[in-house]
Amino acid sequence: MEQFFPFLEPLTLGLALGIAFCAGFVKGVVGFAQPLILISGLTLFLSPELALAGLIIPTLITNTMQALRQGPRAAWASVRQFRFFMIAGGITLVTAAQMVRVVPEQVLLLVIGLPAFAYATSQLAGMSFTIRHRHMGVEVMAGAIAGVMGGFSGIWGPPTVMYMTALGTLKQDQLRVQGVIYAAGALALFGAHIGSGVLRAETVPFSVLLILPAVVGMWAGGRVVDRIDQAMFRRVTLLVLLLASLNLIRRAVF
């Protein structure tokens, strides 16, 4: 039992709770990056398996909260609005997941990280890349790319955010749509890792332990996002995307 509970040491426990709060806070502000922050932070002092188990339940809870922040009707409206993105992403996610052992993880991380880095830096530098009119073909392609990334690596936030930002999606709409998309993915992740054995009697308590700080952090982040305008929201989103992409590249190279 002890090998699965190194976090019971006071310092380790405090660090894990603090990381969960920070991850929730960032998610509350920009709507994504919680799994990236959790997995990056927790693996500094915990095994990758325990870190992965730790993020699964808090991620499912916070994504559901984010999706339902304006109520079930608004969430359903987002499903209908971005149904082509979600259908394409779901199909390619399931397909790509079957091939996950074929492609090296380092390659996948670079495939995600480099385009996200290029997009974020170019946008922050003032270069314009926008999608003025939604088109089903573009949306299907964007959803398919996000699904492939999610199926291979469990990370579909950066491509989703790139698409939403390029569309110029309004702040509250973007947060809700991301919540709907990520909640569906988190539910699939939950089921997959019950089957894989990552979530089991020894590791579920740790994941449950991280729910409260993640939720409190998300609440605090939500208070902040309510006070900033659309332009600031876009800039903060791009900055977080930039940091997330750099972390993916770091994981691939080192």
Side-chain angles (χ1 to χ4, degrees):
M1 180 73 72
E2 290 182 359
Q3 63 178 318
F4 293 111
F5 286 87
F7 54 87
L8 289 179
E9 297 178 6
L11 177 59
T12 308
L13 174 61
L15 286 172
L17 295 175
I19 290 168
F21 175 85
C22 291
F25 181 83
V26 172
K27 182 172 183 58
V29 175
V30 296
F32 73 106
Q34 182 182 18
L36 280 171
I37 294 171
L38 280 170
I39 201 72
S40 300
L42 294 177
T43 50
L44 292 175
F45 51 89
L46 297 176
S47 69
E49 181 181 333
L50 186 56
L52 177 59
L55 73 84
I56 291 173
I57 298 178
T59 299
L60 177 60
I61 297 295
T62 54
N63 279 320
T64 303
M65 291 171 57
Q66 182 176 329
L68 297 175
R69 192 178 184 198
Q70 283 88 40
R73 281 191 173 185
W76 178 244
S78 295
V79 171
R80 289 176 58 83
Q81 183 182 6
F82 288 91
R83 61 189 180 279
F84 297 117
F85 183 98
M86 297 179 70
I87 291 170
I91 293 171
T92 55
L93 187 150
V94 171
T95 304
Q98 313 310 312
M99 304 168 58
V100 71
R101 298 190 179 187
V102 178
V103 182
E105 181 183 9
Q106 290 79 3
V107 174
L108 297 173
L109 293 173
L110 283 175
V111 168
I112 304 168
L114 290 175
F117 174 80
Y119 176 78
T121 51
S122 65
Q123 293 291 288
L124 288 168
M127 296 177 63
S128 178
F129 176 74
T130 58
I131 301 173
R132 298 190 181 278
H133 303 288
R134 289 181 60 188
H135 186 275
M136 186 178 70
V138 175
E139 187 155 312
V140 167
M141 183 181 300
I145 292 171
V148 168
M149 300 304 184
F152 276 127
S153 66
I155 300 168
W156 52 87
T160 303
V161 170
M162 288 166 64
Y163 178 63
M164 295 295 166
T165 305
L167 279 176
T169 310
L170 294 178
K171 179 176 64 174
Q172 295 299 336
D173 292 340
Q174 180 168 326
L175 289 171
R176 185 178 63 254
V177 171
Q178 285 178 194
V180 168
I181 293 171
Y182 302 155
L187 184 60
L189 193 67
F190 178 83
H193 285 302
I194 286 179
S196 73
V198 169
L199 273 180
R200 56 188 185 277
E202 295 89 354
T203 59
V204 164
F206 179 48
S207 197
V208 171
L209 182 69
L210 299 185
I211 292 174
L212 181 59
V215 169
V216 172
M218 185 176 172
W219 172 82
R223 297 292 295 271
V224 171
V225 78
D226 288 340
R227 298 172 182 269
I228 63 177
D229 60 20
Q230 181 71 23
M232 179 60 70
F233 173 75
R234 173 180 164 80
R235 186 167 183 81
V236 172
T237 298
L238 289 170
L239 284 170
V240 174
L241 181 61
L242 176 64
L243 293 174
S245 66
L246 286 172
N247 181 61
L248 292 173
I249 295 169
R250 176 195 64 80
R251 288 174 57 192
V253 174
F254 302 107

